[in-house]
Every structure is written in C-alpha cells, then in structure tokens.
Amino acid sequence: QVQLVESGGGLVQAGGSLRLSCGASGRTFSSYPMAWFRQAPGKEREFVGRIRSNGGSTYYADSVKGRFTISRDNAKNTVYLQMNSLKPEDTAVYYCAASESFYSGTYRYEYNYWGQGTQVTVSS
C-alpha cells in the first residue's frame, strides 16, 4: 500500500515552468513504477509520462515530449515532473500514480494508487 500527495501546482504564464512533486508513504516506494496523468475540464484523464522503479527509463506522451521531464529520488520517496515551455493546453489537474506492475505503461488501469491531484493553470 502507498499513499501519494502531489504539490507544486499553480498559475503560470505561457512559456513558463513549474515543477510538481509527488511524495509517497511506505518503505517500498523504490519498487513502484510511477506515472503522471492529467485531466482537463470536460476531458478524459490522459497519460503524461512514466518512470521505471529504478529511474532508468522514462516515456512521455507526444504532447509533452521535449518539454516535460520525470525524475525520482527514491531516498526521498518522491517523484517529480519538471514542466517547461508551458502552453495553455497544459492546463489540467495533474495526478501522480503508482503501479504494482514493473511493466506498467500508459493506461489508467495499470496504476493501482493515485494522489488527489494538483491544479496547473497556464495563462495565455
């Protein structure tokens, strides 16, 4: 079992940057692949990116590739989402998620634990 808490959201102008953090409880955080998803008003929750349990591999949605970076610090039980060159279409509630499967991918059902989300608003 793991509990996740996101932080770092806020209001930023287009072209700006934000870094989101997701803190996890539990001593086995380092064994969980982690991911970030986001949900804009009136839209389905969508995959943003994921990182393997050892941090050795990342994968991103095309919409954020080259602008967003996921990293993790297993000693601090924290995963990060660095967001650069933000666009108004990045406005959403951002969620971190943990999977019990090493080979987790891009689908919501592959992730067992979710945070409560943090709002990111990008103004034009």
Side-chain angles (χ1 to χ4, degrees):
Q1 188 84 13
V2 63
Q3 293 183 327
L4 305 172
V5 179
E6 302 95 337
S7 61
L11 174 64
V12 63
Q13 288 188 331
S17 298
L18 277 176
R19 187 175 83 154
L20 306 184
S21 299
C22 174
S25 64
R27 292 175 292 177
T28 59
F29 171 77
S30 60
S31 67
Y32 291 101
M34 300 292 295
W36 287 92
F37 287 75
R38 66 186 181 185
Q39 188 166 17
K43 294 188 176 181
E44 294 288 319
R45 192 172 300 187
E46 65 174 5
F47 172 80
V48 173
R50 65 111 177 101
I51 186 167
R52 293 289 187 227
S53 56
N54 62 3
S57 172
T58 55
Y59 180 79
Y60 301 93
D62 287 343
S63 58
V64 307
K65 200 173 295 182
R67 301 187 298 122
F68 290 12
T69 303
I70 297 176
S71 61
R72 66 190 296 162
D73 185 337
N74 286 341
K76 295 182 178 180
N77 280 14
T78 302
V79 63
Y80 304 97
L81 180 65
Q82 177 66 44
M83 305 185 294
N84 299 328
S85 302
L86 282 160
K87 305 174 181 180
E89 51 264 44
D90 295 318
T91 295
V93 177
Y94 282 72
Y95 299 89
C96 67
S99 174
E100 293 182 341
S101 172
F102 179 83
Y103 295 105
S104 58
T106 65
Y107 296 101
R108 289 178 57 182
Y109 70 81
E110 296 178 283
Y111 293 87
N112 306 92
Y113 307 104
W114 293 82
Q116 83 290 347
T118 185
Q119 176 71 47
V120 172
T121 303
V122 184
S123 64
S124 57

